[in-house]
Amino acid sequence: MKLLTTPQEMQALALTWKGEGLTVGLVPTMGWFHEGHLSLMRKARAIADKVIVTLFVNPIQFAPTEDLDNYPHDLERDRSLAEAEGVDVLYAPDVDGMYPEDFKTSVRVSGLTTGLCGASRPGHFDGVTTVVAKLFNQTLPHVAVFGEKDFQQLAVIRQMVRDLDFPIEIIGHPIVREQSGLAMSSRNSYLKEDEMDAAHSLSKAIVSAKNLLKQDASHSPEQVKEEAARVIVSHPQCSIDYVEIVDRTSLQPCDRISPESMLVLAVKINQRIRLIDNSLLIT
Ligand code: PAF
């Protein structure tokens, strides 16, 4: 596996592969790989001739009050995990290479970015779409694989790809969970032993909301949200950022539950760690 660090060398290699008629699969990440990331790499490995994994902790998608400085990072650890998955290139540019002093462009998707995580993290999605557009241009993939845990991010990226005519197929890959139900996330590494029960309240809320609907499918979105919120706030270390039921494509609130309805959650643990989770309600 090659380790590349500059946009120029990355793009040159991607162009060579394209010239040879090879298909390129991309997995964009911020590193500190867990089984969720590895499953995205396996998916890309199964469908493309060449697999590029990007590792870049993108400063412009973090607000000044967020965890940019503490974001877990270990290049050697990630390098050996990616290599074991048969990745061809680990592309880990530095901040100056990505955003030189005279960098002036931002990519913004409107509408889809205002609610949910966009409401509590203003500017976050502009940072995501800007860096993903750059990564697409640097790696020139045919297909890019993103995790469904960041469900709003996936919808926003699909919209950007449509709107800007990127010739890239976007694949969403299912959430990978710990045996306990906790959705895998690099941010789980912030959790202390005595915060694990609180972290489990997100997946428990999803199970409880689904069970309510199994008992009686006519429950309203409000009733289902109340049930999910009840499970979360029963834990004193949890505070709700949002509990919503939205249409899986438009991300607009649902006025009745349907097979397209998604329960989406963001919860702060001890005001310190923000976790997200989601699930279709009727599966
Ligand atoms: O999901 C992530 O890890 C990041 O938001 C992404 C897509 C790599 C952009 O920095």
Side-chain angles (χ1 to χ4, degrees):
M1 186 184 74
K2 274 189 166 58
L3 173 69
L4 299 183
T5 56
T6 70
Q8 295 75 16
E9 56 187 351
M10 182 66 259
Q11 204 181 47
L13 180 60
L15 281 168
T16 306
W17 286 341
K18 283 217 151 174
E20 292 168 357
L22 299 169
T23 55
V24 176
L26 173 69
V27 180
T29 81
M30 297 203 302
W32 198 251
F33 298 151
H34 50 67
E35 192 55 35
H37 294 113
L38 303 185
S39 75
L40 305 182
M41 295 178 205
R42 277 173 219 140
K43 177 70 187 170
R45 182 67 287 159
I47 56 178
D49 297 322
K50 295 287 182 188
V51 175
I52 303 170
V53 172
T54 67
L55 192 173
F56 180 64
V57 184
N58 176 34
I60 67 167
Q61 70 185 72
F62 290 78
T65 50
E66 291 181 338
D67 55 343
L68 173 65
D69 293 339
N70 301 325
Y71 203 83
H73 190 75
D74 183 340
L75 181 62
E76 278 319 309
R77 170 187 178 277
D78 285 349
R79 190 179 182 159
S80 58
L81 287 169
E83 187 148 38
E85 294 303 331
V87 168
D88 295 286
V89 170
L90 182 64
Y91 173 46
D94 61 22
V95 174
D96 294 341
M98 287 296 267
Y99 302 118
E101 244 175 55
D102 61 345
F103 187 82
K104 292 188 173 63
T105 301
S106 176
V107 179
R108 166 174 294 180
V109 172
S110 59
L112 287 176
T113 53
T114 48
L116 307 175
C117 291
S120 39
R121 303 185 69 189
H124 166 70
F125 286 114
D126 295 352
V128 170
T129 41
T130 301
V131 81
V132 171
K134 282 175 69 70
L135 292 170
F136 284 170
N137 284 328
Q138 292 164 3
T139 60
L140 306 171
H142 296 82
V143 53
V145 190
F146 291 86
E148 287 178 349
K149 185 170 72 68
D150 295 288
F151 195 74
Q152 188 176 13
Q153 167 173 283
L154 181 57
V156 168
I157 288 167
R158 284 191 198 283
Q159 183 75 43
M160 175 186 79
V161 163
R162 275 198 302 279
D163 290 350
L164 297 185
D165 308 304
F166 281 105
I168 301 172
E169 183 191 351
I170 302 299
I171 295 187
H173 201 61
I175 296 177
V176 178
R177 296 180 181 278
E178 306 281 358
Q179 267 199 334
S180 63
L182 179 67
M184 291 203 183
S185 163
S186 303
R187 290 190 165 100
N188 291 350
S189 64
Y190 301 149
L191 291 164
K192 296 183 186 149
E193 195 63 35
D194 69 349
E195 292 170 325
M196 293 311 286
D197 280 352
H200 288 132
S201 70
L202 285 85
S203 55
K204 285 189 177 152
I206 290 174
V207 171
S208 209
K210 284 179 162 179
N211 283 342
L212 189 72
L213 283 166
K214 272 186 201 142
Q215 285 158 23
D216 179 355
S218 70
H219 278 108
S220 68
E222 280 314 315
Q223 289 169 316
V224 179
K225 284 195 289 186
E226 265 168 35
E227 174 59 11
R230 182 193 66 74
V231 173
I232 295 165
V233 298
S234 70
H235 206 292
Q237 289 166 311
C238 291
S239 51
I240 291 176
D241 182 350
Y242 60 77
V243 172
E244 284 298 338
I245 296 178
V246 298
D247 176 85
R248 67 186 301 184
T249 311
S250 69
L251 304 186
Q252 288 305 302
C254 296
D255 47 22
R256 64 182 184 82
I257 306 288
S258 82
E260 299 301 300
S261 301
M262 207 120 201
L263 176 62
V264 287
L265 312 171
V267 172
K268 275 198 167 167
I269 313 292
N270 281 335
Q271 296 302 324
R272 218 168 46 82
I273 307 160
R274 185 175 177 280
L275 300 179
I276 57 174
D277 203 344
N278 66 71
S279 175
L280 283 172
L281 280 166
I282 302 175
T283 43

